[in-house]
Amino acid sequence: MALFLDTGDINEIKKFINMGIIRGVTTNPTILFKSGVTGGMEGVKKTSIEIANLIAPNPLSVEITKNESPEEMVQEAIELSKWADNIVIKVPFHGPDGELENIQVIHELETKHNVRVNVTAMMSAQQCFLAAMAGATYVSLFCGRVNNMGYNSVEELKKLRKLLDEHKLNSKIICASTREVLNVVEWLGAGGHIVTVLPDLLNKMIVHPYTKETVQMFLDDAKKL
Ligand code: E4P
């Protein structure tokens, strides 16, 4: 699995899918807004279906847009999941006021409604462990935000992977909130199954100034042969 692309930009997705180096796409309302998606839920639906078709059978994460009653959240998640077979529903681990019903929603979607869930906005190994216990297919640790709060995301990842392995929990860890190129290899090395990467960071991972210089030398010398 290794790399997902964290964007709603169709052209960037096409570019990296054609290279064969991404295995999924993650979005959230903020990412879609920054990618220029408009038109309310119809706009979100159109873009999501386009991305889902483009990357199938790889997964596309689409986030629920409300945090009201558990019934409404389950209903919205089911609706979004019908857009395409490879859609995974992102559910925040708890609500903006610490509402706990989200965990029940996650459990119900996975166990009663056959909806794959990516539990999002988590900042600690302990939150991710509980989301895994609830049955989530993916648990997203916002590693960049963890670092920004002054904690060490690498240590959280190591603790989390150990817990999942020891307790035979099948959830896959998505390392999210990438901030630096270094994060990718560092977080995969610490136990993350997947890192979701911004297109700009992926470009920077590919191009190296010394590779440019070396290739130019080969091309120049080829002319002299
Ligand atoms: C991906 O699944 C997350 O929603 C995303 O990486 C969050 O990034 P941010 O912390 O930069 O908002």
Side-chain angles (χ1 to χ4, degrees), residues 6 26-28 31 63 90 118 120 140 142 145 174 176-179 196:
D6 205 16
T26 47
T27 65
N28 63 37
I31 287 171
E63 189 159 334
K90 266 185 169 180
N118 171 357
T120 192
S140 284
F142 276 31
R145 291 189 187 234
I174 300 180
S177 303
T178 48
R179 300 285 187 258
T196 188

Side-chain angles (χ1 to χ4, degrees), residues 40 181 189:
V181 170

Side-chain angles (χ1 to χ4, degrees), residues 10-31:
I10 304 276
N11 290 328
E12 293 288 359
I13 296 167
K14 276 187 190 157
K15 182 171 90 187
F16 292 113
I17 275 287
N18 290 343
M19 290 183 198
I21 59 176
I22 57 164
R23 297 287 182 277
V25 170
T26 47
T27 65
N28 63 37
T30 307
I31 287 171

Side-chain angles (χ1 to χ4, degrees), residues 54-100:
L54 199 59
I55 68 169
N58 294 308
L60 165 67
S61 288
V62 180
E63 189 159 334
I64 55 170
T65 60
K66 299 184 187 88
N67 213 117
E68 285 148 27
S69 72
E71 294 75 23
E72 278 172 319
M73 291 166 78
V74 167
Q75 198 48 47
E76 186 185 15
I78 292 172
E79 286 305 313
L80 303 186
S81 74
K82 286 181 187 157
W83 291 349
D85 289 345
N86 53 337
I87 285 183
V88 172
I89 302 302
K90 266 185 169 180
V91 180
F93 184 59
H94 62 63
D97 291 316
E99 298 90 334
L100 300 183

